[in-house]
Amino acid sequence: MAKLSQDDLLAQFEEMTLIELSEFVKAFEEKFDVTAAAPAAVVAAAPGAPGAAAPAEEEKDEFDVVLTGAGDKKIQVIKVVRELTSLGLKEAKDLVDGTPKPVLEKVNKEQADKAAESLKAAGASVEVK
């Protein structure tokens, strides 16, 4: 008997009904003492896939710096807000007066930490989300 290529085998399988394919798989399993079931590691990994998304969220790369309170040195906080943003004096004052409000949105971790540190040094209370 001539050796069949994968394409030839696939062409043969294509012509079979589902019942015939099922019987072939059973016969193949018996003949070669194997199973056509997915390996346990693959099956176990599939339910874990949604869980794998959770750690990815913990390692986010965009942060928001939220001003939660101006503290005693409101003028210093307004100055720092102006330095961190491109806001004018009135807009910066309105932001500080309307706390809690985001000062910076969707910035990297380093930039968020620096901004939070500057605002805290000026006397403000800050939250990085």
Side-chain angles (χ1 to χ4, degrees), residues 34-115:
V34 294
T35 60
V42 174
V43 174
E57 286 182 346
E58 291 173 14
E59 297 177 20
K60 61 185 193 175
D61 57 352
E62 291 183 340
F63 298 86
D64 295 341
V65 179
V66 180
L67 182 67
T68 56
D72 295 336
K73 301 177 184 175
K74 187 173 165 183
I75 294 173
Q76 293 298 343
V77 174
I78 293 170
K79 286 180 181 180
V80 172
V81 168
R82 289 194 65 205
E83 289 172 12
L84 294 172
T85 64
S86 60
L87 296 175
L89 180 60
K90 181 180 180 341
E91 292 84 6
K93 181 182 178 303
D94 291 344
L95 187 143
V96 171
D97 287 341
T99 57
K101 290 234 176 159
V103 177
L104 297 173
E105 294 179 319
K106 298 182 181 179
V107 295
N108 64 30
K109 177 82 171 147
E110 184 179 318
Q111 194 175 4
D113 289 341
K114 284 183 181 177

Side-chain angles (χ1 to χ4, degrees), residues 13-51:
F13 292 138
E14 222 172 36
E15 295 175 12
M16 298 173 106
T17 65
L18 288 177
I19 294 172
E20 291 171 331
L21 279 172
S22 175
E23 290 171 357
F24 170 78
V25 169
K26 287 178 189 174
F28 187 89
E29 288 175 341
E30 288 174 14
K31 171 85 174 172
F32 296 104
D33 194 27
V34 294
T35 60
V42 174
V43 174

